[in-house]
Amino acid sequence: MKKIIKKKDQPRLNDFLNSNLDGSYYVGHASVLFRMNQKLFLIDGVIQDSLFEKSWYFFPELKFDELFFSLDGIFVSHCHDDHYDLEFLRKIKKNTPIYITKNRIGFDELINDPNLNSIEIEPFKKIKLDDFDILAIPSDHNDFDSSFIIKNDSFSIYQGNDNFIPRKVIKKAADIMGEVSHVYIPFSYVWWYPFCLTSMDAKEKESEIKRLSEKNMNIGLYIAEELNAEVIIPSAGNLIFHDIAADHINRMIATPFDFIDYLKSLNSPMLKKTFPLLSGDYVLNEKKIIDIYSDFLDRNNYYKGMNIFLKKLDSINKITKYEIKKSDVNKINLRTSDFKHINTDLIFKSRTINNIYLFFDSTIKTFKIIDKINSEEFILFDIEDSMLKQWVRGKVTLETVLNSQRLLITREPEKFDESLWNIIRSKL
């Protein structure tokens, strides 16, 4: 095993690009720019700075260079906006191969674009390419997530992205590809439940956040164990939430530093191999030494920088108001017509205006505007105004609103009905 040295002083991006060291890489959000066989490859490259109607921002801010348009190949794990950026892909050098996992949804526009050279990789089949091997690893429980192992005789990398797979799946990948030296693991739980739920008391919510976060951290840990990683990077840790009324979420969602603390609590031998690298950090892979360059060596430094960044956003993103009473209910009913299986009332309100609601009556299966809630069973969506306006006008789906986390949700009674939520997410 090589000696690993972590340093604060950062080389410039050009220093990294000109190093010509195979097995060296530069870290973005979920992006990894790496050199193999004296060629440069990028995993999950994006150039946009915010997602879901400016609800989520990259912090530290993404570093970018014009050289990223002239790479030897690009891998794209899945179709979510923080991993897949068609605007970027349409600017790259013509005929650059874009590798995706076969039979994953969300890539139709990429595959059907005659100006883009997309190449689908058969899942769980070792593919030989230019003196290195590739393995595509799809999710076992959804139809969009996937991961990659990329390996040659001197260097190997696993980018897990958001693919929280069972131990038996990563073991299958390890049986095919063998050990992987540099492993980017998923670990952080990021979803509206339970962060945005108001019908759960604070103690129960805290317990549920802890349970789900540790569940995901354990997945990341056993991925690294099964691949016998030499260097472990808890990835996708620098996408932060911004809503003027609710940016406390950033203190509840696990950061790479929380993953380090979790390893400490377990007294895990993997701790000494784990480094919380964020956007702009580098790894220079020398013959005997791995030099890791990072701007954020500790949690306090990270949060200090985050607070400065969020204050800057506060001056840009102003509170807006949306009046539900001006909504065109007829258009909403035309757009959302297939609700025969919804047997719970749905209520929508704006964050800034009370006592006016957009109400879905589950008895007659239509929307109307009301000024008083009389339902005994309901789900209430308290949505930040600008996002509510986008949804009411049909510009975004409710799935996008949920992903934005610019809302609070009250369930009466407090229970989860999977079939109901599947309809809400797919139809609204």
Side-chain angles (χ1 to χ4, degrees), residues 353-371:
I353 301 174
N354 294 319
N355 303 322
I356 297 291
Y357 309 95
L358 180 62
F359 176 71
F360 176 75
D361 188 326
S362 61
T363 302
I364 59 176
K365 313 299 183 187
T366 58
F367 280 91
K368 58 186 177 181
I369 294 174
I370 63 172
D371 57 13

Side-chain angles (χ1 to χ4, degrees), residues 164 185-190 194-195 205-223 252-255 258-266:
F164 290 91
I185 56 168
F187 74 95
S188 188
Y189 178 80
V190 183
F195 301 107
K205 182 187 291 189
E206 183 178 335
S207 175
E208 190 69 345
I209 290 170
K210 184 175 186 293
R211 179 185 72 83
L212 291 166
S213 294
E214 290 187 358
K215 176 182 177 182
N216 277 13
M217 288 181 185
N218 281 328
I219 293 173
L221 181 56
Y222 69 59
I223 287 173
M252 295 188 287
I253 292 175
T255 70
D258 293 301
F259 184 74
I260 294 290
D261 288 345
Y262 184 62
L263 294 184
K264 289 178 181 177
S265 73
L266 299 176

Side-chain angles (χ1 to χ4, degrees), residues 29-50:
H29 157 58
S31 306
V32 185
L33 176 70
F34 66 96
R35 191 182 299 278
M36 184 174 280
N37 297 342
Q38 291 301 299
K39 293 183 178 181
L40 278 173
F41 298 90
L42 181 65
I43 303 173
D44 286 1
V46 297
I47 56 176
Q48 55 195 333
D49 62 357
S50 63

Side-chain angles (χ1 to χ4, degrees), residues 332-379:
I332 298 172
N333 283 321
L334 285 172
R335 190 178 81 240
T336 55
S337 57
D338 188 12
F339 287 134
K340 59 185 177 182
H341 298 300
I342 293 185
N343 298 312
T344 299
D345 293 343
L346 306 178
I347 304 166
F348 301 82
K349 72 173 291 292
S350 76
R351 182 71 56 82
T352 62
I353 301 174
N354 294 319
N355 303 322
I356 297 291
Y357 309 95
L358 180 62
F359 176 71
F360 176 75
D361 188 326
S362 61
T363 302
I364 59 176
K365 313 299 183 187
T366 58
F367 280 91
K368 58 186 177 181
I369 294 174
I370 63 172
D371 57 13
K372 186 178 181 180
I373 300 175
N374 294 314
S375 303
E376 293 184 2
E377 291 191 15
F378 62 87
I379 301 175

Side-chain angles (χ1 to χ4, degrees), residues 75-93:
F75 296 83
V76 183
S77 66
H78 65 290
C79 60
H80 288 166
D81 289 350
D82 54 329
H83 298 256
Y84 173 49
D85 186 352
L86 265 175
E87 179 187 350
F88 165 64
L89 296 177
R90 285 173 172 150
K91 292 180 179 179
I92 63 176
K93 182 177 61 178

Side-chain angles (χ1 to χ4, degrees), residues 8 19 78 107 138 140 155 204 325 394:
K8 177 70 170 66
S19 67
H78 65 290
F107 289 130
D140 69 307
F155 176 68
E204 188 179 2
K325 64 184 179 182

